[in-house]
Amino acid sequence: MAEMTIRRFSVMSVAKMHSLLMFVMGLIIGVIYGLGFMFFGAMISALAPHGEGQAAGGISSIIIGLVIMIAFPIFYAIFGFIAGAIGALIYNVAAGVVGGVKFELESVNPEYAPPPAPQQWAPRPYPAQ
């Protein structure tokens, strides 16, 4: 087992990765909330007495649902980038004081076996018959 220590992280690398992860989370959450708004907006439009104000309330909920599906991933990605950068900076400062996080690595592959020794080439002493 090899013991290693993470002394520092690249701030931009962590920020980009965290931004991507948060974008995916925002996409999942945005679709769930957006579909919820759209579903209830459609229910309001379908079940309400056909008045002008009732239909407008249902249509606006559908539009809000679409906006949520677009806006949540974008905001999550932006705030994820900022949070990842701040987190990496804080870790780098703390690792400078404390010394970083130690962890052990274990190989899952069998131990390395060196290749066999190369064969020495020798020309044939007699011509081929």
Side-chain angles (χ1 to χ4, degrees), residues 11-99:
V11 174
M12 285 303 292
S13 174
V14 171
K16 288 188 290 187
M17 180 58 76
H18 201 256
S19 176
L20 177 65
L21 294 174
M22 292 307 292
F23 175 82
V24 172
M25 289 298 298
L27 191 62
I28 293 168
I29 292 170
V31 166
I32 291 170
Y33 278 114
L35 287 176
F37 263 91
M38 293 172 84
F39 176 73
F40 288 117
M43 278 183 32
I44 290 171
S45 293
L47 298 177
H50 292 292
E52 196 172 294
Q54 304 290 7
I59 292 172
S60 65
S61 293
I62 293 172
I63 292 172
I64 289 172
L66 288 172
V67 169
I68 285 174
M69 285 188 205
I70 295 169
F72 268 39
I74 293 170
F75 284 120
Y76 269 60
I78 291 169
F79 289 122
F81 184 88
I82 293 168
I86 291 171
L89 284 171
I90 291 172
Y91 177 84
N92 289 341
V93 170
V97 174
V98 178

